[in-house]
Amino acid sequence: MNSLASIVKFFQDGGVFMYPNLLILAIATAIVLERLVVLARSGTSGERLWGQLAPMVQARRMDEAVRTCTQSMRPLYQVLAGGLRAMKGPFTREDVQGGIDEGMTKVVPRVEARLHYLPNLANVATLLGLLGTIIGLIQDFTAVSMADPAQKASLLAQGISVAMNNTAFGLIIAIPTMLAYTFLQSRANRIVENLEEYALRLANLAGQMAKSEALSEGYSNGAELTQGRRAMGMVKGAVHAK
C-alpha cells in the first residue's frame, strides 16, 4: 500500500508533463505486446518444413507442395508458396525467384511493422521528461525569488526534487522501451534471415531442376527449354485456332 501511495505521489508531484509521458508509456506497451504476439506466431521450424517440401518438389508434386504451404499464414509458408506456384508450369530460376520476391514484399513489412516507433517514443519520453524538469525549475526559481530568505534553501531543494520527477519518469519509460526494441528487432531479423535462407534454397533447387530438365531434352539451359515449350504451346494454339 505504501509503495502504491509513493508511486501516486511521485506522479502527482511531477506536474502536467507526466501525463503525455503516461500516454507514451501506454502506446509503447501496446506496440511491444502486439509485436511479441505477432513475432511469436511468425516463427517457423524451417528445416522441418523444408524436409516436407523438398521431396514433393523433386517429385514434381507442385500442387501438393502448394497446398502444404497454404495451410498456414506464417511468413515462411507464404514466401515458399509464391515460389512453388511459379514452378507449376515450365519455369526458370528467375521465374521462381520472382514469385519468392513477391511473397517477400508482402510478409517482411508485416514482420517489421511498427518496430520503428519504439526508439522514437523512447526519445520523445526522454525529451518530455527534460522539458518538464526545465519548466518545473523555472517555476521553482520564480517562486523562491519571492519567498522568505530563511526558507529559500529548503524550498529550492524541494522544488528541484519535484522537477526531477519528470526526467526520472521519462527515463523509466525510455530505457525499457529501447531494450524491448532491441529484443524485438533482433527477433524480426532472425525471422527475415530464415525467410531468405529457405527462399534461396528453393530458388537453387528450382535452378538445378530447370537445368537438369533442359539438358535431358537437349537444351543448353533452362531458359531455352522454357522458351521452346512456350513457342510449342503458341504453335499448338495457332493450329487449334485454325
Side-chain angles (χ1 to χ4, degrees), residues 4-22:
L4 180 60
S6 299
I7 293 172
V8 172
K9 186 176 186 307
F10 169 84
F11 187 84
Q12 291 174 340
D13 289 344
V16 68
F17 283 95
M18 301 289 273
Y19 293 96
N21 263 343
L22 185 63

Side-chain angles (χ1 to χ4, degrees), residues 31-45 73-76 107-116 118 180-195:
I31 291 174
V32 169
L33 293 176
E34 187 264 346
R35 288 291 90 193
L36 282 172
V37 172
V38 170
L39 294 178
R41 292 177 177 176
S42 298
T44 306
S45 175
M73 293 301 294
R74 292 176 185 264
L76 183 57
V107 302
V108 171
R110 294 205 297 266
V111 171
E112 298 178 339
R114 288 175 288 284
L115 286 178
H116 63 282
L118 293 178
Y181 168 73
T182 301
F183 170 75
L184 293 171
Q185 187 64 59
S186 65
R187 187 78 178 269
N189 289 341
R190 286 199 299 271
I191 292 172
V192 173
E193 289 169 1
N194 192 52
L195 295 178

Side-chain angles (χ1 to χ4, degrees), residues 52 85 91 100 147 149 174 187 190 220:
Q52 294 175 344
R85 289 190 185 98
F91 65 88
I100 289 170
R187 187 78 178 269
R190 286 199 299 271
S220 61

Side-chain angles (χ1 to χ4, degrees), residues 22 25 53 55 62 119 151 162 168 173 201 206 223 229 236 242:
L22 185 63
L25 175 60
L53 293 178
M62 300 305 176
Q151 299 178 340
V162 170
I173 296 169
R201 286 196 189 187
R229 286 179 171 175
K236 289 181 179 179
K242 289 179 180 180

